[in-house]
Amino acid sequence: MTAPVPVDVVELVVRLLRPLLTHAGTDGTPLPVSTTVGNGVDGGPRSLPWVLVAEDGHTWTWPAVQRSVIRLTCWHHTPHAAKATAAIALGLLCVRPPPAPLLHTEPITAPITGTDPYTGAPLATAALAVHARTPHP
């Protein structure tokens, strides 16, 4: 018999952001939030805008508290829109109190704009530290 594996922090963040960004598109449509960039040109996102949640570092404190450095990357039609969307996602995750099951969140970097070297699309990235009590699936 195998013990269930706790849900990963990246998955917890994705599960929290999806409903929070349901009407965040410029026309009130949901923003795609994913752990992959899709199958677009040169592996870029399938559509714009697109929010990617990735992990840059991870530690455990047993029994089930994790600390992860989460990187948010947002591709959009303009650098300003990419930065604004990344800032919204970062802000939603860092409100006080943080949404459960997040115990504590803290921004590490503010959104920084750039250009995707593969697709040429404007993007912005931001990072935050997340402490979470991870539930079983």
Side-chain angles (χ1 to χ4, degrees):
M1 183 173 197
T2 307
V5 177
V7 177
D8 186 67
V9 175
V10 171
E11 182 62 27
L12 291 174
V13 171
V14 168
R15 289 179 186 180
L16 288 170
L17 272 181
R18 282 185 178 145
L20 293 172
L21 296 176
T22 300
H23 302 291
T26 54
D27 57 354
T29 58
L31 290 176
V33 178
S34 182
T35 58
T36 63
V37 290
N39 300 319
V41 178
D42 292 320
R46 284 179 239 152
S47 62
L48 297 179
W50 191 271
V51 178
L52 173 71
V53 178
E55 183 177 65
D56 288 337
H58 184 232
T59 60
W60 279 87
T61 303
W62 194 253
V65 175
Q66 299 182 55
R67 180 192 184 274
S68 293
V69 175
I70 299 294
R71 180 177 14 96
L72 303 171
T73 304
C74 178
W75 286 260
H76 218 299
H77 299 288
T78 67
H80 177 76
K83 188 174 184 176
T85 303
I88 290 168
L90 180 66
L92 289 170
L93 290 170
C94 290
V95 295
R96 299 289 182 249
L102 304 186
L103 300 173
H104 176 74
T105 56
E106 181 179 348
I108 296 173
T109 63
I112 301 168
T113 59
T115 303
D116 186 318
Y118 301 104
T119 66
L123 59 76
T125 66
L128 69 147
V130 174
H131 292 261
R133 183 169 310 281
T134 53
H136 292 291

Short mmCIF file of all heavy atoms in Angstrom, two decimals, residues 24-86:
data_model
loop_
_atom_site.label_atom_id
_atom_site.label_comp_id
_atom_site.label_asym_id
_atom_site.label_seq_id
_atom_site.Cartn_x
_atom_site.Cartn_y
_atom_site.Cartn_z
N ALA A 24 -9.93 38.20 -15.69
CA ALA A 24 -8.82 39.17 -15.73
C ALA A 24 -8.39 39.55 -17.13
O ALA A 24 -7.59 40.47 -17.29
CB ALA A 24 -7.63 38.63 -14.95
N GLY A 25 -8.89 38.88 -18.16
CA GLY A 25 -8.54 39.26 -19.52
C GLY A 25 -9.11 40.63 -19.86
O GLY A 25 -10.04 41.12 -19.22
N THR A 26 -8.53 41.28 -20.87
CA THR A 26 -8.96 42.64 -21.22
C THR A 26 -10.43 42.70 -21.59
O THR A 26 -11.09 43.71 -21.39
CB THR A 26 -8.12 43.19 -22.38
OG1 THR A 26 -8.17 42.27 -23.47
CG2 THR A 26 -6.69 43.41 -21.95
N ASP A 27 -10.98 41.62 -22.11
CA ASP A 27 -12.40 41.58 -22.46
C ASP A 27 -13.21 40.78 -21.46
O ASP A 27 -14.32 40.35 -21.75
CB ASP A 27 -12.58 41.03 -23.88
CG ASP A 27 -11.97 39.64 -24.04
OD1 ASP A 27 -11.31 39.16 -23.10
OD2 ASP A 27 -12.16 39.05 -25.11
N GLY A 28 -12.66 40.56 -20.26
CA GLY A 28 -13.37 39.83 -19.21
C GLY A 28 -13.27 38.33 -19.32
O GLY A 28 -13.93 37.61 -18.59
N THR A 29 -12.45 37.84 -20.22
CA THR A 29 -12.28 36.40 -20.39
C THR A 29 -11.22 35.87 -19.41
O THR A 29 -10.40 36.64 -18.90
CB THR A 29 -11.85 36.05 -21.83
OG1 THR A 29 -10.63 36.75 -22.09
CG2 THR A 29 -12.92 36.44 -22.83
N PRO A 30 -11.21 34.57 -19.14
CA PRO A 30 -10.20 34.03 -18.23
C PRO A 30 -8.81 34.07 -18.86
O PRO A 30 -8.66 33.95 -20.08
CB PRO A 30 -10.64 32.59 -18.01
CG PRO A 30 -11.83 32.34 -18.84
CD PRO A 30 -12.18 33.60 -19.57
N LEU A 31 -7.80 34.26 -18.02
CA LEU A 31 -6.42 34.16 -18.48
C LEU A 31 -5.96 32.72 -18.30
O LEU A 31 -6.15 32.15 -17.22
CB LEU A 31 -5.51 35.07 -17.67
CG LEU A 31 -5.67 36.56 -17.89
CD1 LEU A 31 -4.76 37.33 -16.94
CD2 LEU A 31 -5.35 36.93 -19.32
N PRO A 32 -5.38 32.11 -19.32
CA PRO A 32 -4.87 30.75 -19.15
C PRO A 32 -3.73 30.73 -18.14
O PRO A 32 -2.81 31.53 -18.23
CB PRO A 32 -4.37 30.38 -20.54
CG PRO A 32 -4.98 31.35 -21.48
CD PRO A 32 -5.23 32.59 -20.69
N VAL A 33 -3.80 29.84 -17.17
CA VAL A 33 -2.76 29.65 -16.16
C VAL A 33 -2.33 28.20 -16.27
O VAL A 33 -3.15 27.29 -16.18
CB VAL A 33 -3.27 29.95 -14.74
CG1 VAL A 33 -2.17 29.70 -13.71
CG2 VAL A 33 -3.79 31.38 -14.64
N SER A 34 -1.02 27.97 -16.48
CA SER A 34 -0.55 26.63 -16.76
C SER A 34 0.83 26.40 -16.17
O SER A 34 1.50 27.34 -15.74
CB SER A 34 -0.50 26.44 -18.28
OG SER A 34 -0.10 25.14 -18.60
N THR A 35 1.25 25.15 -16.17
CA THR A 35 2.61 24.79 -15.78
C THR A 35 3.47 24.49 -17.00
O THR A 35 4.62 24.11 -16.87
CB THR A 35 2.62 23.57 -14.84
OG1 THR A 35 1.99 22.48 -15.51
CG2 THR A 35 1.89 23.87 -13.54
N THR A 36 2.89 24.65 -18.18
CA THR A 36 3.63 24.48 -19.43
C THR A 36 3.36 25.69 -20.32
O THR A 36 2.36 26.39 -20.14
CB THR A 36 3.20 23.21 -20.19
OG1 THR A 36 1.82 23.33 -20.56
CG2 THR A 36 3.40 21.97 -19.34
N VAL A 37 4.23 25.90 -21.30
CA VAL A 37 4.01 27.04 -22.19
C VAL A 37 3.20 26.66 -23.42
O VAL A 37 2.87 27.52 -24.21
CB VAL A 37 5.33 27.70 -22.63
CG1 VAL A 37 5.97 28.42 -21.49
CG2 VAL A 37 6.27 26.70 -23.25
N GLY A 38 2.88 25.41 -23.59
CA GLY A 38 2.05 25.03 -24.72
C GLY A 38 2.87 24.58 -25.91
O GLY A 38 4.06 24.32 -25.81
N ASN A 39 2.22 24.54 -27.04
CA ASN A 39 2.85 24.03 -28.26
C ASN A 39 2.87 25.07 -29.36
O ASN A 39 2.77 24.74 -30.53
CB ASN A 39 2.09 22.79 -28.75
CG ASN A 39 2.10 21.70 -27.70
OD1 ASN A 39 3.10 21.47 -27.05
ND2 ASN A 39 0.97 21.04 -27.52
N GLY A 40 3.00 26.33 -29.02
CA GLY A 40 3.00 27.40 -30.00
C GLY A 40 4.31 27.44 -30.78
O GLY A 40 5.13 26.51 -30.74
N VAL A 41 4.54 28.55 -31.46
CA VAL A 41 5.75 28.73 -32.25
C VAL A 41 6.97 28.53 -31.36
O VAL A 41 7.09 29.15 -30.30
CB VAL A 41 5.76 30.15 -32.86
CG1 VAL A 41 7.03 30.39 -33.65
CG2 VAL A 41 4.54 30.35 -33.73
N ASP A 42 7.89 27.65 -31.78
CA ASP A 42 9.11 27.36 -31.03
C ASP A 42 8.84 27.01 -29.57
O ASP A 42 9.62 27.35 -28.67
CB ASP A 42 10.08 28.55 -31.10
CG ASP A 42 10.63 28.75 -32.50
OD1 ASP A 42 10.92 27.74 -33.17
OD2 ASP A 42 10.75 29.91 -32.91
N GLY A 43 7.72 26.38 -29.29
CA GLY A 43 7.41 25.97 -27.93
C GLY A 43 6.82 27.06 -27.07
O GLY A 43 6.68 26.90 -25.88
N GLY A 44 6.47 28.18 -27.67
CA GLY A 44 5.87 29.28 -26.91
C GLY A 44 4.43 28.99 -26.57
O GLY A 44 3.87 27.94 -26.89
N PRO A 45 3.77 29.94 -25.88
CA PRO A 45 2.38 29.74 -25.48
C PRO A 45 1.45 29.60 -26.68
O PRO A 45 1.71 30.15 -27.75
CB PRO A 45 2.05 30.98 -24.67
CG PRO A 45 3.12 31.95 -24.93
CD PRO A 45 4.30 31.23 -25.46
N ARG A 46 0.38 28.85 -26.48
CA ARG A 46 -0.60 28.61 -27.55
C ARG A 46 -1.33 29.87 -27.96
O ARG A 46 -1.79 30.00 -29.09
CB ARG A 46 -1.61 27.57 -27.12
CG ARG A 46 -1.08 26.17 -27.17
CD ARG A 46 -2.13 25.21 -26.70
NE ARG A 46 -1.49 24.55 -25.55
CZ ARG A 46 -2.12 24.05 -24.53
NH1 ARG A 46 -3.40 24.11 -24.46
NH2 ARG A 46 -1.45 23.49 -23.56
N SER A 47 -1.49 30.79 -26.99
CA SER A 47 -2.22 32.02 -27.26
C SER A 47 -1.70 33.10 -26.32
O SER A 47 -1.00 32.81 -25.36
CB SER A 47 -3.72 31.81 -27.04
OG SER A 47 -3.97 31.45 -25.69
N LEU A 48 -2.02 34.33 -26.63
CA LEU A 48 -1.68 35.45 -25.75
C LEU A 48 -2.98 36.02 -25.23
O LEU A 48 -3.94 36.12 -25.98
CB LEU A 48 -0.90 36.53 -26.52
CG LEU A 48 0.46 36.13 -27.07
CD1 LEU A 48 1.07 37.29 -27.82
CD2 LEU A 48 1.39 35.65 -25.98
N PRO A 49 -3.06 36.38 -23.98
CA PRO A 49 -2.06 36.25 -22.93
C PRO A 49 -1.94 34.82 -22.41
O PRO A 49 -2.81 33.99 -22.66
CB PRO A 49 -2.57 37.19 -21.85
CG PRO A 49 -4.05 37.22 -22.04
CD PRO A 49 -4.28 37.05 -23.52
N TRP A 50 -0.88 34.57 -21.64
CA TRP A 50 -0.61 33.25 -21.07
C TRP A 50 0.18 33.44 -19.78
O TRP A 50 1.12 34.23 -19.75
CB TRP A 50 0.23 32.44 -22.05
CG TRP A 50 0.36 30.99 -21.72
CD1 TRP A 50 1.32 30.40 -20.93
CD2 TRP A 50 -0.48 29.93 -22.16
NE1 TRP A 50 1.12 29.05 -20.87
CE2 TRP A 50 0.01 28.73 -21.62
CE3 TRP A 50 -1.62 29.88 -22.95
CZ2 TRP A 50 -0.57 27.51 -21.85
CZ3 TRP A 50 -2.20 28.66 -23.19
CH2 TRP A 50 -1.68 27.48 -22.64
N VAL A 51 -0.19 32.74 -18.71
CA VAL A 51 0.52 32.82 -17.43
C VAL A 51 1.12 31.45 -17.13
O VAL A 51 0.41 30.45 -17.10
CB VAL A 51 -0.42 33.27 -16.28
CG1 VAL A 51 0.34 33.29 -14.96
CG2 VAL A 51 -1.04 34.62 -16.58
N LEU A 52 2.42 31.44 -16.92
CA LEU A 52 3.15 30.21 -16.60
C LEU A 52 3.56 30.25 -15.13
O LEU A 52 4.09 31.25 -14.65
CB LEU A 52 4.41 30.10 -17.47
CG LEU A 52 5.36 28.96 -17.13
CD1 LEU A 52 4.75 27.62 -17.52
CD2 LEU A 52 6.69 29.16 -17.83
N VAL A 53 3.32 29.16 -14.41
CA VAL A 53 3.74 29.01 -13.02
C VAL A 53 4.83 27.94 -13.00
O VAL A 53 4.61 26.83 -13.45
CB VAL A 53 2.56 28.59 -12.12
CG1 VAL A 53 3.03 28.39 -10.68
CG2 VAL A 53 1.44 29.63 -12.18
N ALA A 54 6.01 28.32 -12.50
CA ALA A 54 7.13 27.38 -12.43
C ALA A 54 7.80 27.51 -11.07
O ALA A 54 7.56 28.46 -10.33
CB ALA A 54 8.14 27.68 -13.54
N GLU A 55 8.64 26.53 -10.76
CA GLU A 55 9.32 26.50 -9.47
C GLU A 55 10.82 26.65 -9.67
O GLU A 55 11.41 25.96 -10.49
CB GLU A 55 9.01 25.16 -8.79
CG GLU A 55 9.58 25.01 -7.43
CD GLU A 55 9.16 23.68 -6.82
OE1 GLU A 55 9.55 22.63 -7.36
OE2 GLU A 55 8.43 23.72 -5.82
N ASP A 56 11.42 27.58 -8.91
CA ASP A 56 12.86 27.80 -9.00
C ASP A 56 13.62 27.23 -7.82
O ASP A 56 14.84 27.16 -7.84
CB ASP A 56 13.17 29.29 -9.12
CG ASP A 56 12.79 29.85 -10.49
OD1 ASP A 56 12.71 29.07 -11.46
OD2 ASP A 56 12.57 31.06 -10.59
N GLY A 57 12.94 26.83 -6.76
CA GLY A 57 13.59 26.26 -5.59
C GLY A 57 12.55 25.66 -4.67
O GLY A 57 11.39 26.04 -4.70
N HIS A 58 12.97 24.68 -3.85
CA HIS A 58 11.99 23.94 -3.07
C HIS A 58 12.65 23.32 -1.85
O HIS A 58 13.73 22.75 -1.95
CB HIS A 58 11.39 22.85 -3.97
CG HIS A 58 10.31 22.08 -3.32
ND1 HIS A 58 10.30 20.72 -3.27
CD2 HIS A 58 9.18 22.47 -2.68
CE1 HIS A 58 9.20 20.29 -2.64
NE2 HIS A 58 8.53 21.35 -2.27
N THR A 59 12.01 23.42 -0.67
CA THR A 59 12.45 22.71 0.53
C THR A 59 11.23 22.15 1.25
O THR A 59 10.11 22.62 1.05
CB THR A 59 13.22 23.63 1.51
OG1 THR A 59 12.36 24.70 1.91
CG2 THR A 59 14.49 24.18 0.88
N TRP A 60 11.47 21.16 2.08
CA TRP A 60 10.41 20.54 2.88
C TRP A 60 10.70 20.71 4.35
O TRP A 60 11.85 20.63 4.77
CB TRP A 60 10.37 19.03 2.62
CG TRP A 60 9.66 18.61 1.41
CD1 TRP A 60 10.18 18.51 0.15
CD2 TRP A 60 8.30 18.21 1.30
NE1 TRP A 60 9.24 18.07 -0.72
CE2 TRP A 60 8.06 17.88 -0.04
CE3 TRP A 60 7.26 18.10 2.22
CZ2 TRP A 60 6.84 17.43 -0.49
CZ3 TRP A 60 6.05 17.67 1.76
CH2 TRP A 60 5.84 17.33 0.42
N THR A 61 9.68 20.88 5.16
CA THR A 61 9.74 20.75 6.61
C THR A 61 8.67 19.74 6.97
O THR A 61 7.49 19.98 6.78
CB THR A 61 9.45 22.10 7.31
OG1 THR A 61 10.38 23.06 6.84
CG2 THR A 61 9.59 21.96 8.81
N TRP A 62 9.09 18.60 7.40
CA TRP A 62 8.15 17.51 7.64
C TRP A 62 7.19 17.86 8.77
O TRP A 62 7.58 18.54 9.70
CB TRP A 62 8.94 16.24 7.97
CG TRP A 62 8.08 15.03 7.89
CD1 TRP A 62 7.62 14.30 8.93
CD2 TRP A 62 7.55 14.45 6.73
NE1 TRP A 62 6.83 13.29 8.49
CE2 TRP A 62 6.77 13.36 7.12
CE3 TRP A 62 7.63 14.73 5.37
CZ2 TRP A 62 6.09 12.55 6.22
CZ3 TRP A 62 6.96 13.92 4.48
CH2 TRP A 62 6.20 12.85 4.92
N PRO A 63 5.89 17.52 8.72
CA PRO A 63 5.34 16.51 7.83
C PRO A 63 4.88 17.05 6.48
O PRO A 63 4.98 16.34 5.50
CB PRO A 63 4.15 15.97 8.61
CG PRO A 63 3.68 17.12 9.42
CD PRO A 63 4.91 17.91 9.76
N ALA A 64 4.37 18.24 6.39
CA ALA A 64 3.85 18.62 5.08
C ALA A 64 3.90 20.11 4.82
O ALA A 64 3.03 20.67 4.20
CB ALA A 64 2.41 18.12 4.93
N VAL A 65 4.94 20.79 5.30
CA VAL A 65 5.08 22.21 4.98
C VAL A 65 6.20 22.34 3.96
O VAL A 65 7.30 21.84 4.17
CB VAL A 65 5.40 23.05 6.24
CG1 VAL A 65 5.66 24.51 5.86
CG2 VAL A 65 4.23 22.97 7.22
N GLN A 66 5.88 22.98 2.86
CA GLN A 66 6.85 23.18 1.80
C GLN A 66 7.14 24.67 1.64
O GLN A 66 6.29 25.51 1.86
CB GLN A 66 6.32 22.67 0.47
CG GLN A 66 6.02 21.19 0.45
CD GLN A 66 5.55 20.74 -0.91
OE1 GLN A 66 6.22 20.95 -1.91
NE2 GLN A 66 4.38 20.14 -0.95
N ARG A 67 8.36 25.00 1.24
CA ARG A 67 8.72 26.36 0.85
C ARG A 67 9.23 26.28 -0.57
O ARG A 67 10.15 25.54 -0.87
CB ARG A 67 9.81 26.94 1.74
CG ARG A 67 10.17 28.37 1.31
CD ARG A 67 11.44 28.87 1.98
NE ARG A 67 11.71 30.25 1.64
CZ ARG A 67 12.37 30.64 0.56
NH1 ARG A 67 12.82 29.74 -0.31
NH2 ARG A 67 12.59 31.91 0.32
N SER A 68 8.60 27.05 -1.43
CA SER A 68 8.99 27.07 -2.83
C SER A 68 9.18 28.50 -3.30
O SER A 68 8.45 29.40 -2.88
CB SER A 68 7.92 26.41 -3.71
OG SER A 68 7.83 25.05 -3.45
N VAL A 69 10.15 28.68 -4.18
CA VAL A 69 10.27 29.94 -4.89
C VAL A 69 9.53 29.74 -6.20
O VAL A 69 9.88 28.88 -7.01
CB VAL A 69 11.75 30.32 -5.13
CG1 VAL A 69 11.83 31.57 -5.99
CG2 VAL A 69 12.46 30.51 -3.81
N ILE A 70 8.45 30.50 -6.36
CA ILE A 70 7.59 30.36 -7.53
C ILE A 70 7.87 31.50 -8.49
O ILE A 70 7.93 32.67 -8.09
CB ILE A 70 6.09 30.39 -7.11
CG1 ILE A 70 5.79 29.21 -6.17
CG2 ILE A 70 5.18 30.40 -8.32
CD1 ILE A 70 5.91 27.85 -6.82
N ARG A 71 8.06 31.16 -9.76
CA ARG A 71 8.26 32.16 -10.81
C ARG A 71 7.00 32.25 -11.64
O ARG A 71 6.49 31.24 -12.13
CB ARG A 71 9.44 31.78 -11.70
CG ARG A 71 9.70 32.77 -12.81
CD ARG A 71 10.95 32.41 -13.65
NE ARG A 71 11.45 31.07 -13.47
CZ ARG A 71 11.13 30.04 -14.28
NH1 ARG A 71 10.30 30.20 -15.28
NH2 ARG A 71 11.66 28.85 -14.05
N LEU A 72 6.47 33.46 -11.76
CA LEU A 72 5.32 33.72 -12.63
C LEU A 72 5.84 34.39 -13.89
O LEU A 72 6.57 35.38 -13.82
CB LEU A 72 4.34 34.67 -11.93
CG LEU A 72 3.79 34.21 -10.58
CD1 LEU A 72 3.01 35.35 -9.93
CD2 LEU A 72 2.92 32.99 -10.75
N THR A 73 5.48 33.85 -15.04
CA THR A 73 5.84 34.48 -16.31
C THR A 73 4.56 34.70 -17.09
O THR A 73 3.74 33.79 -17.21
CB THR A 73 6.79 33.58 -17.13
OG1 THR A 73 7.94 33.29 -16.33
CG2 THR A 73 7.23 34.26 -18.42
N CYS A 74 4.40 35.92 -17.59
CA CYS A 74 3.20 36.25 -18.35
C CYS A 74 3.59 36.76 -19.73
O CYS A 74 4.34 37.72 -19.84
CB CYS A 74 2.39 37.31 -17.61
SG CYS A 74 0.92 37.79 -18.54
N TRP A 75 3.09 36.11 -20.75
CA TRP A 75 3.22 36.59 -22.12
C TRP A 75 1.97 37.38 -22.44
O TRP A 75 0.87 37.00 -22.05
CB TRP A 75 3.31 35.42 -23.11
CG TRP A 75 4.60 34.69 -23.11
CD1 TRP A 75 5.62 34.85 -23.99
CD2 TRP A 75 5.02 33.64 -22.23
NE1 TRP A 75 6.65 33.99 -23.70
CE2 TRP A 75 6.30 33.24 -22.62
CE3 TRP A 75 4.43 33.04 -21.12
CZ2 TRP A 75 7.01 32.24 -21.96
CZ3 TRP A 75 5.13 32.04 -20.47
CH2 TRP A 75 6.40 31.64 -20.89
N HIS A 76 2.13 38.49 -23.17
CA HIS A 76 0.96 39.31 -23.52
C HIS A 76 1.24 40.02 -24.84
O HIS A 76 2.29 39.82 -25.45
CB HIS A 76 0.66 40.30 -22.40
CG HIS A 76 -0.81 40.51 -22.17
ND1 HIS A 76 -1.66 41.00 -23.14
CD2 HIS A 76 -1.58 40.29 -21.08
CE1 HIS A 76 -2.89 41.07 -22.65
NE2 HIS A 76 -2.86 40.63 -21.38
N HIS A 77 0.31 40.86 -25.26
CA HIS A 77 0.43 41.57 -26.54
C HIS A 77 1.39 42.75 -26.48
O HIS A 77 1.98 43.12 -27.49
CB HIS A 77 -0.95 42.04 -27.02
CG HIS A 77 -1.90 40.90 -27.23
ND1 HIS A 77 -1.79 40.01 -28.27
CD2 HIS A 77 -2.96 40.47 -26.49
CE1 HIS A 77 -2.75 39.10 -28.20
NE2 HIS A 77 -3.47 39.36 -27.12
N THR A 78 1.55 43.36 -25.29
CA THR A 78 2.46 44.49 -25.12
C THR A 78 3.26 44.29 -23.83
O THR A 78 2.81 43.57 -22.92
CB THR A 78 1.69 45.83 -25.01
OG1 THR A 78 0.94 45.83 -23.78
CG2 THR A 78 0.77 46.05 -26.20
N PRO A 79 4.43 44.93 -23.74
CA PRO A 79 5.20 44.82 -22.49
C PRO A 79 4.42 45.34 -21.28
O PRO A 79 4.48 44.75 -20.20
CB PRO A 79 6.45 45.67 -22.75
CG PRO A 79 6.58 45.70 -24.23
CD PRO A 79 5.18 45.65 -24.78
N HIS A 80 3.68 46.43 -21.46
CA HIS A 80 2.90 46.99 -20.35
C HIS A 80 1.83 46.00 -19.88
O HIS A 80 1.66 45.79 -18.68
CB HIS A 80 2.25 48.31 -20.77
CG HIS A 80 1.38 48.89 -19.70
ND1 HIS A 80 1.89 49.53 -18.59
CD2 HIS A 80 0.03 48.89 -19.55
CE1 HIS A 80 0.89 49.91 -17.81
NE2 HIS A 80 -0.25 49.54 -18.37
N ALA A 81 1.11 45.39 -20.81
CA ALA A 81 0.07 44.42 -20.45
C ALA A 81 0.68 43.19 -19.77
O ALA A 81 0.10 42.65 -18.83
CB ALA A 81 -0.74 44.02 -21.68
N ALA A 82 1.85 42.74 -20.24
CA ALA A 82 2.51 41.59 -19.62
C ALA A 82 2.90 41.92 -18.19
O ALA A 82 2.66 41.13 -17.27
CB ALA A 82 3.74 41.20 -20.43
N LYS A 83 3.47 43.11 -17.98
CA LYS A 83 3.89 43.52 -16.64
C LYS A 83 2.68 43.70 -15.72
O LYS A 83 2.70 43.27 -14.56
CB LYS A 83 4.69 44.82 -16.72
CG LYS A 83 5.33 45.22 -15.43
CD LYS A 83 6.23 46.43 -15.64
CE LYS A 83 6.98 46.79 -14.37
NZ LYS A 83 7.91 47.90 -14.59
N ALA A 84 1.62 44.31 -16.23
CA ALA A 84 0.41 44.52 -15.42
C ALA A 84 -0.21 43.19 -15.02
O ALA A 84 -0.63 43.00 -13.86
CB ALA A 84 -0.59 45.37 -16.18
N THR A 85 -0.27 42.24 -15.93
CA THR A 85 -0.87 40.94 -15.63
C THR A 85 -0.02 40.17 -14.62
O THR A 85 -0.55 39.55 -13.69
CB THR A 85 -1.05 40.13 -16.93
OG1 THR A 85 -1.85 40.89 -17.84
CG2 THR A 85 -1.72 38.80 -16.67
N ALA A 86 1.30 40.20 -14.78
CA ALA A 86 2.17 39.54 -13.80
C ALA A 86 2.01 40.18 -12.43
O ALA A 86 1.99 39.49 -11.40
CB ALA A 86 3.62 39.60 -14.26
#
